[in-house]
Amino acid sequence: MTDQELMDAAYQQALKSYNEGGLPIGSVLYSPDDDAIVARGHNERVQKGDPTAHAEVVCIRNAGRRRDWPQLTLVSTLSPCIMCTGTSLLYRIPRVLVGENQNFLGAEDLFRERGVEFILMNDPQCIALMKKFVEEKPDLWNEDIGI
Amino acid sequence: MTDQELMDAAYQQALKSYNEGGLPIGSVLYSPDDDAIVARGHNERVQKGDPTAHAEVVCIRNAGRRRDWPQLTLVSTLSPCIMCTGTSLLYRIPRVLVGENQNFLGAEDLFRERGVEFILMNDPQCIALMKKFVEEKPDLWNEDIGI
């Protein structure tokens, strides 16, 4: 699968969450060995009342217990916050594909410091959906990032 | 409540998990304003097959959606890993009380860099229980920290 196909799959997760009234942030985990998406997730903080349910955490949670983390790619529509970055670093995921960091700049420095391959795609559909949400529901968004 | 009373409450969570066959790591969140524990949690990775279910993440999850994070104290029997550290930093929890870092040294530098009050208690009961578990089930423990 191409990086763009993976980002499109993450975007579909973001769109699903938006349509549920949640934060439009989506994530997938990709296994290059299998050329397959092994888990998907989207932000569920509003849907489940769980402050830890950011898209990347949910996606990693959905991937279940496994030992192949150092072969996977984490894909997220938005620059990962420090919780999601920490989760990815804990499991030594070596490659991270990010849709955009215009609406939120996460802990990208931490990824780079630790040698993770960090790819920013500046995806117009990710930027537009997140921008729309932040304008519509600024309070929900601020709660998401601890403000 | 004293720091020792809070650590004892976290230890009870760790012991509960140990008795369930899980990792003996426990956490509580304390509100000084209410002088009360507002959430409890223990590692549930084995119990629920959830790789993100470290004690501190579960405790913060159990605390639900709230806005008073910058008033709380996070208590953990073991030095928090980078995922749990990131989660605590995301919500700007200003004070962290840790039982021990002899069995595992987490991302303490990150707390200090960001001005969090980090208190290490060197609690003998926390040290002993974790040491016992690591000796009994080294493979389960390594899986917990992404090794």
PDB file of all heavy atoms in Angstrom, chain B residues 12 17 19 27 30 35 48 52 56 61-62 64 79 85 95 98 103 107 109 113 119 124-125 127 129 135 141:
ATOM      1  N   GLN B  12      -2.234  -1.154  46.822  1.00  0.00           N
ATOM      2  CA  GLN B  12      -3.391  -2.070  46.872  1.00  0.00           C
ATOM      3  C   GLN B  12      -3.877  -2.403  45.455  1.00  0.00           C
ATOM      4  O   GLN B  12      -4.288  -3.538  45.173  1.00  0.00           O
ATOM      5  CB  GLN B  12      -4.535  -1.476  47.705  1.00  0.00           C
ATOM      6  CG  GLN B  12      -4.252  -1.450  49.206  1.00  0.00           C
ATOM      7  CD  GLN B  12      -3.872  -2.825  49.762  1.00  0.00           C
ATOM      8  OE1 GLN B  12      -4.504  -3.830  49.463  1.00  0.00           O
ATOM      9  NE2 GLN B  12      -2.798  -2.868  50.560  1.00  0.00           N
ATOM     10  N   SER B  17      -3.941  -6.475  40.991  1.00  0.00           N
ATOM     11  CA  SER B  17      -3.574  -6.941  39.654  1.00  0.00           C
ATOM     12  C   SER B  17      -2.715  -8.201  39.741  1.00  0.00           C
ATOM     13  O   SER B  17      -2.908  -9.158  38.985  1.00  0.00           O
ATOM     14  CB  SER B  17      -2.829  -5.837  38.893  1.00  0.00           C
ATOM     15  OG  SER B  17      -2.565  -6.245  37.563  1.00  0.00           O
ATOM     16  N   ASN B  19      -2.753 -10.441  42.016  1.00  0.00           N
ATOM     17  CA  ASN B  19      -3.619 -11.573  42.387  1.00  0.00           C
ATOM     18  C   ASN B  19      -4.521 -12.030  41.239  1.00  0.00           C
ATOM     19  O   ASN B  19      -5.036 -13.140  41.256  1.00  0.00           O
ATOM     20  CB  ASN B  19      -4.448 -11.226  43.632  1.00  0.00           C
ATOM     21  CG  ASN B  19      -3.581 -11.142  44.870  1.00  0.00           C
ATOM     22  OD1 ASN B  19      -2.541 -11.807  44.959  1.00  0.00           O
ATOM     23  ND2 ASN B  19      -3.978 -10.312  45.838  1.00  0.00           N
ATOM     24  N   SER B  27      -2.049   2.590  40.425  1.00  0.00           N
ATOM     25  CA  SER B  27      -2.043   4.044  40.314  1.00  0.00           C
ATOM     26  C   SER B  27      -3.314   4.625  40.917  1.00  0.00           C
ATOM     27  O   SER B  27      -4.378   3.997  40.875  1.00  0.00           O
ATOM     28  CB  SER B  27      -1.945   4.402  38.819  1.00  0.00           C
ATOM     29  OG  SER B  27      -1.983   5.786  38.612  1.00  0.00           O
ATOM     30  N   TYR B  30      -5.170  11.836  42.879  1.00  0.00           N
ATOM     31  CA  TYR B  30      -5.567  12.480  44.124  1.00  0.00           C
ATOM     32  C   TYR B  30      -5.898  13.948  43.866  1.00  0.00           C
ATOM     33  O   TYR B  30      -5.172  14.641  43.154  1.00  0.00           O
ATOM     34  CB  TYR B  30      -4.405  12.375  45.120  1.00  0.00           C
ATOM     35  CG  TYR B  30      -4.545  13.196  46.374  1.00  0.00           C
ATOM     36  CD1 TYR B  30      -5.503  12.868  47.332  1.00  0.00           C
ATOM     37  CD2 TYR B  30      -3.710  14.287  46.620  1.00  0.00           C
ATOM     38  CE1 TYR B  30      -5.619  13.608  48.498  1.00  0.00           C
ATOM     39  CE2 TYR B  30      -3.822  15.029  47.792  1.00  0.00           C
ATOM     40  CZ  TYR B  30      -4.782  14.684  48.724  1.00  0.00           C
ATOM     41  OH  TYR B  30      -4.902  15.415  49.881  1.00  0.00           O
ATOM     42  N   ASP B  35      -9.222  16.608  49.121  1.00  0.00           N
ATOM     43  CA  ASP B  35      -8.495  15.627  49.951  1.00  0.00           C
ATOM     44  C   ASP B  35      -9.054  14.214  49.715  1.00  0.00           C
ATOM     45  O   ASP B  35      -9.399  13.498  50.663  1.00  0.00           O
ATOM     46  CB  ASP B  35      -8.568  15.985  51.446  1.00  0.00           C
ATOM     47  CG  ASP B  35      -7.589  15.142  52.263  1.00  0.00           C
ATOM     48  OD1 ASP B  35      -6.552  14.721  51.720  1.00  0.00           O
ATOM     49  OD2 ASP B  35      -7.875  14.892  53.459  1.00  0.00           O
ATOM     50  N   LYS B  48      -7.000  -7.645  30.057  1.00  0.00           N
ATOM     51  CA  LYS B  48      -7.880  -7.190  28.965  1.00  0.00           C
ATOM     52  C   LYS B  48      -7.257  -7.293  27.579  1.00  0.00           C
ATOM     53  O   LYS B  48      -7.893  -6.915  26.596  1.00  0.00           O
ATOM     54  CB  LYS B  48      -8.329  -5.741  29.232  1.00  0.00           C
ATOM     55  CG  LYS B  48      -9.141  -5.621  30.523  1.00  0.00           C
ATOM     56  CD  LYS B  48     -10.030  -4.406  30.544  1.00  0.00           C
ATOM     57  CE  LYS B  48     -10.955  -4.448  31.754  1.00  0.00           C
ATOM     58  NZ  LYS B  48     -11.597  -3.147  32.047  1.00  0.00           N
ATOM     59  N   THR B  52      -2.275  -0.767  25.763  1.00  0.00           N
ATOM     60  CA  THR B  52      -2.178   0.590  26.319  1.00  0.00           C
ATOM     61  C   THR B  52      -2.623   0.636  27.785  1.00  0.00           C
ATOM     62  O   THR B  52      -2.616   1.708  28.391  1.00  0.00           O
ATOM     63  CB  THR B  52      -3.023   1.611  25.521  1.00  0.00           C
ATOM     64  OG1 THR B  52      -4.414   1.363  25.746  1.00  0.00           O
ATOM     65  CG2 THR B  52      -2.727   1.534  24.036  1.00  0.00           C
ATOM     66  N   GLU B  56      -1.209   3.779  34.965  1.00  0.00           N
ATOM     67  CA  GLU B  56      -1.474   5.217  34.990  1.00  0.00           C
ATOM     68  C   GLU B  56      -2.483   5.603  33.905  1.00  0.00           C
ATOM     69  O   GLU B  56      -3.354   6.454  34.127  1.00  0.00           O
ATOM     70  CB  GLU B  56      -0.167   6.005  34.783  1.00  0.00           C
ATOM     71  CG  GLU B  56       0.913   5.701  35.824  1.00  0.00           C
ATOM     72  CD  GLU B  56       1.822   4.525  35.423  1.00  0.00           C
ATOM     73  OE1 GLU B  56       1.351   3.581  34.742  1.00  0.00           O
ATOM     74  OE2 GLU B  56       3.011   4.566  35.791  1.00  0.00           O
ATOM     75  N   ARG B  61      -7.872   7.129  32.512  1.00  0.00           N
ATOM     76  CA  ARG B  61      -9.090   6.733  31.785  1.00  0.00           C
ATOM     77  C   ARG B  61     -10.274   6.671  32.757  1.00  0.00           C
ATOM     78  O   ARG B  61     -11.358   7.202  32.486  1.00  0.00           O
ATOM     79  CB  ARG B  61      -8.832   5.366  31.149  1.00  0.00           C
ATOM     80  CG  ARG B  61      -9.881   4.886  30.182  1.00  0.00           C
ATOM     81  CD  ARG B  61      -9.518   3.507  29.637  1.00  0.00           C
ATOM     82  NE  ARG B  61      -8.249   3.516  28.899  1.00  0.00           N
ATOM     83  CZ  ARG B  61      -7.574   2.418  28.538  1.00  0.00           C
ATOM     84  NH1 ARG B  61      -8.037   1.219  28.841  1.00  0.00           N
ATOM     85  NH2 ARG B  61      -6.457   2.518  27.860  1.00  0.00           N
ATOM     86  N   ASN B  62     -10.053   6.039  33.900  1.00  0.00           N
ATOM     87  CA  ASN B  62     -11.129   5.898  34.887  1.00  0.00           C
ATOM     88  C   ASN B  62     -11.558   7.243  35.479  1.00  0.00           C
ATOM     89  O   ASN B  62     -12.670   7.358  35.985  1.00  0.00           O
ATOM     90  CB  ASN B  62     -10.696   4.964  36.018  1.00  0.00           C
ATOM     91  CG  ASN B  62     -10.594   3.519  35.567  1.00  0.00           C
ATOM     92  OD1 ASN B  62     -11.136   3.142  34.518  1.00  0.00           O
ATOM     93  ND2 ASN B  62      -9.911   2.688  36.337  1.00  0.00           N
ATOM     94  N   GLY B  64     -12.162   9.812  33.800  1.00  0.00           N
ATOM     95  CA  GLY B  64     -13.168  10.371  32.902  1.00  0.00           C
ATOM     96  C   GLY B  64     -12.825  11.758  32.397  1.00  0.00           C
ATOM     97  O   GLY B  64     -11.738  12.282  32.656  1.00  0.00           O
ATOM     98  N   SER B  79       8.003   3.791  38.388  1.00  0.00           N
ATOM     99  CA  SER B  79       8.401   4.915  37.542  1.00  0.00           C
ATOM    100  C   SER B  79       7.678   4.835  36.181  1.00  0.00           C
ATOM    101  O   SER B  79       7.795   3.838  35.474  1.00  0.00           O
ATOM    102  CB  SER B  79       9.924   4.846  37.349  1.00  0.00           C
ATOM    103  OG  SER B  79      10.384   5.904  36.554  1.00  0.00           O
ATOM    104  N   THR B  85       3.959   8.765  31.031  1.00  0.00           N
ATOM    105  CA  THR B  85       4.497  10.111  31.223  1.00  0.00           C
ATOM    106  C   THR B  85       3.840  11.082  30.246  1.00  0.00           C
ATOM    107  O   THR B  85       3.392  12.172  30.631  1.00  0.00           O
ATOM    108  CB  THR B  85       6.029  10.097  31.018  1.00  0.00           C
ATOM    109  OG1 THR B  85       6.604   9.213  31.974  1.00  0.00           O
ATOM    110  CG2 THR B  85       6.626  11.485  31.182  1.00  0.00           C
ATOM    111  N   ARG B  95       1.949  17.201  39.583  1.00  0.00           N
ATOM    112  CA  ARG B  95       2.675  16.539  40.678  1.00  0.00           C
ATOM    113  C   ARG B  95       2.558  15.025  40.503  1.00  0.00           C
ATOM    114  O   ARG B  95       1.462  14.506  40.287  1.00  0.00           O
ATOM    115  CB  ARG B  95       2.075  16.975  42.019  1.00  0.00           C
ATOM    116  CG  ARG B  95       2.861  16.536  43.224  1.00  0.00           C
ATOM    117  CD  ARG B  95       2.381  17.290  44.489  1.00  0.00           C
ATOM    118  NE  ARG B  95       3.159  16.877  45.647  1.00  0.00           N
ATOM    119  CZ  ARG B  95       2.756  15.940  46.503  1.00  0.00           C
ATOM    120  NH1 ARG B  95       1.591  15.328  46.365  1.00  0.00           N
ATOM    121  NH2 ARG B  95       3.533  15.617  47.527  1.00  0.00           N
ATOM    122  N   VAL B  98       5.955   8.702  42.910  1.00  0.00           N
ATOM    123  CA  VAL B  98       6.347   7.402  42.359  1.00  0.00           C
ATOM    124  C   VAL B  98       6.907   6.491  43.455  1.00  0.00           C
ATOM    125  O   VAL B  98       7.744   6.914  44.259  1.00  0.00           O
ATOM    126  CB  VAL B  98       7.376   7.616  41.229  1.00  0.00           C
ATOM    127  CG1 VAL B  98       8.096   6.326  40.872  1.00  0.00           C
ATOM    128  CG2 VAL B  98       6.669   8.180  39.996  1.00  0.00           C
ATOM    129  N   ASN B 103      13.230  -1.185  39.752  1.00  0.00           N
ATOM    130  CA  ASN B 103      12.894  -2.256  38.809  1.00  0.00           C
ATOM    131  C   ASN B 103      12.693  -1.753  37.384  1.00  0.00           C
ATOM    132  O   ASN B 103      12.775  -2.527  36.434  1.00  0.00           O
ATOM    133  CB  ASN B 103      11.635  -2.993  39.291  1.00  0.00           C
ATOM    134  CG  ASN B 103      11.900  -3.836  40.510  1.00  0.00           C
ATOM    135  OD1 ASN B 103      12.639  -4.812  40.442  1.00  0.00           O
ATOM    136  ND2 ASN B 103      11.319  -3.462  41.651  1.00  0.00           N
ATOM    137  N   ALA B 107      10.452   7.596  32.075  1.00  0.00           N
ATOM    138  CA  ALA B 107      10.847   8.821  31.361  1.00  0.00           C
ATOM    139  C   ALA B 107      10.868  10.011  32.319  1.00  0.00           C
ATOM    140  O   ALA B 107      10.323  11.081  32.030  1.00  0.00           O
ATOM    141  CB  ALA B 107       9.898   9.053  30.195  1.00  0.00           C
ATOM    142  N   ASP B 109      13.069  12.132  33.139  1.00  0.00           N
ATOM    143  CA  ASP B 109      13.657  13.368  32.602  1.00  0.00           C
ATOM    144  C   ASP B 109      12.596  14.271  31.971  1.00  0.00           C
ATOM    145  O   ASP B 109      12.661  15.498  32.101  1.00  0.00           O
ATOM    146  CB  ASP B 109      14.685  13.040  31.515  1.00  0.00           C
ATOM    147  CG  ASP B 109      15.990  12.521  32.123  1.00  0.00           C
ATOM    148  OD1 ASP B 109      16.086  12.480  33.360  1.00  0.00           O
ATOM    149  OD2 ASP B 109      16.887  12.158  31.348  1.00  0.00           O
ATOM    150  N   GLU B 113      11.996  18.064  32.881  1.00  0.00           N
ATOM    151  CA  GLU B 113      12.157  19.093  31.835  1.00  0.00           C
ATOM    152  C   GLU B 113      10.947  20.018  31.774  1.00  0.00           C
ATOM    153  O   GLU B 113      11.065  21.187  31.435  1.00  0.00           O
ATOM    154  CB  GLU B 113      12.268  18.433  30.451  1.00  0.00           C
ATOM    155  CG  GLU B 113      13.659  17.998  30.047  1.00  0.00           C
ATOM    156  CD  GLU B 113      13.618  17.162  28.763  1.00  0.00           C
ATOM    157  OE1 GLU B 113      12.668  17.320  27.962  1.00  0.00           O
ATOM    158  OE2 GLU B 113      14.531  16.342  28.592  1.00  0.00           O
ATOM    159  N   ILE B 119       8.248  13.171  42.750  1.00  0.00           N
ATOM    160  CA  ILE B 119       8.696  12.707  44.069  1.00  0.00           C
ATOM    161  C   ILE B 119       8.877  11.186  44.053  1.00  0.00           C
ATOM    162  O   ILE B 119       7.922  10.432  43.805  1.00  0.00           O
ATOM    163  CB  ILE B 119       7.675  13.106  45.153  1.00  0.00           C
ATOM    164  CG1 ILE B 119       7.566  14.634  45.201  1.00  0.00           C
ATOM    165  CG2 ILE B 119       8.069  12.542  46.525  1.00  0.00           C
ATOM    166  CD1 ILE B 119       6.296  15.124  45.829  1.00  0.00           C
ATOM    167  N   PRO B 124       9.511   0.312  50.054  1.00  0.00           N
ATOM    168  CA  PRO B 124       9.970  -1.087  50.085  1.00  0.00           C
ATOM    169  C   PRO B 124       8.925  -2.092  49.597  1.00  0.00           C
ATOM    170  O   PRO B 124       9.272  -3.081  48.939  1.00  0.00           O
ATOM    171  CB  PRO B 124      10.297  -1.318  51.563  1.00  0.00           C
ATOM    172  CG  PRO B 124      10.458   0.032  52.162  1.00  0.00           C
ATOM    173  CD  PRO B 124       9.576   0.951  51.372  1.00  0.00           C
ATOM    174  N   GLN B 125       7.635  -1.860  49.895  1.00  0.00           N
ATOM    175  CA  GLN B 125       6.620  -2.840  49.462  1.00  0.00           C
ATOM    176  C   GLN B 125       6.432  -2.798  47.935  1.00  0.00           C
ATOM    177  O   GLN B 125       6.270  -3.848  47.296  1.00  0.00           O
ATOM    178  CB  GLN B 125       5.295  -2.662  50.216  1.00  0.00           C
ATOM    179  CG  GLN B 125       4.589  -1.331  49.983  1.00  0.00           C
ATOM    180  CD  GLN B 125       3.309  -1.179  50.809  1.00  0.00           C
ATOM    181  OE1 GLN B 125       2.851  -2.101  51.474  1.00  0.00           O
ATOM    182  NE2 GLN B 125       2.737   0.021  50.764  1.00  0.00           N
ATOM    183  N   ILE B 127       8.835  -1.979  45.765  1.00  0.00           N
ATOM    184  CA  ILE B 127      10.048  -2.591  45.219  1.00  0.00           C
ATOM    185  C   ILE B 127       9.950  -4.122  45.286  1.00  0.00           C
ATOM    186  O   ILE B 127      10.223  -4.825  44.308  1.00  0.00           O
ATOM    187  CB  ILE B 127      11.302  -2.105  46.000  1.00  0.00           C
ATOM    188  CG1 ILE B 127      11.503  -0.595  45.795  1.00  0.00           C
ATOM    189  CG2 ILE B 127      12.556  -2.872  45.553  1.00  0.00           C
ATOM    190  CD1 ILE B 127      12.544   0.028  46.734  1.00  0.00           C
ATOM    191  N   LEU B 129       7.315  -6.207  45.603  1.00  0.00           N
ATOM    192  CA  LEU B 129       6.278  -6.855  44.785  1.00  0.00           C
ATOM    193  C   LEU B 129       6.682  -6.876  43.304  1.00  0.00           C
ATOM    194  O   LEU B 129       6.537  -7.902  42.620  1.00  0.00           O
ATOM    195  CB  LEU B 129       4.938  -6.132  44.968  1.00  0.00           C
ATOM    196  CG  LEU B 129       3.756  -6.686  44.185  1.00  0.00           C
ATOM    197  CD1 LEU B 129       3.454  -8.136  44.579  1.00  0.00           C
ATOM    198  CD2 LEU B 129       2.503  -5.826  44.396  1.00  0.00           C
ATOM    199  N   GLU B 135      10.918 -11.487  38.443  1.00  0.00           N
ATOM    200  CA  GLU B 135      11.610 -12.781  38.560  1.00  0.00           C
ATOM    201  C   GLU B 135      10.698 -13.945  38.154  1.00  0.00           C
ATOM    202  O   GLU B 135      11.146 -14.902  37.525  1.00  0.00           O
ATOM    203  CB  GLU B 135      12.124 -12.982  39.988  1.00  0.00           C
ATOM    204  CG  GLU B 135      13.359 -12.110  40.273  1.00  0.00           C
ATOM    205  CD  GLU B 135      13.752 -12.063  41.747  1.00  0.00           C
ATOM    206  OE1 GLU B 135      13.096 -12.752  42.574  1.00  0.00           O
ATOM    207  OE2 GLU B 135      14.701 -11.331  42.062  1.00  0.00           O
ATOM    208  N   TRP B 141       6.793  -9.221  31.616  1.00  0.00           N
ATOM    209  CA  TRP B 141       7.290  -7.893  31.960  1.00  0.00           C
ATOM    210  C   TRP B 141       7.942  -7.218  30.748  1.00  0.00           C
ATOM    211  O   TRP B 141       7.664  -6.059  30.432  1.00  0.00           O
ATOM    212  CB  TRP B 141       8.259  -7.979  33.141  1.00  0.00           C
ATOM    213  CG  TRP B 141       9.024  -6.717  33.377  1.00  0.00           C
ATOM    214  CD1 TRP B 141      10.368  -6.578  33.438  1.00  0.00           C
ATOM    215  CD2 TRP B 141       8.480  -5.397  33.563  1.00  0.00           C
ATOM    216  NE1 TRP B 141      10.703  -5.260  33.645  1.00  0.00           N
ATOM    217  CE2 TRP B 141       9.567  -4.510  33.722  1.00  0.00           C
ATOM    218  CE3 TRP B 141       7.191  -4.865  33.599  1.00  0.00           C
ATOM    219  CZ2 TRP B 141       9.396  -3.142  33.911  1.00  0.00           C
ATOM    220  CZ3 TRP B 141       7.027  -3.503  33.781  1.00  0.00           C
ATOM    221  CH2 TRP B 141       8.102  -2.654  33.948  1.00  0.00           C
TER     222      TRP B 141
END
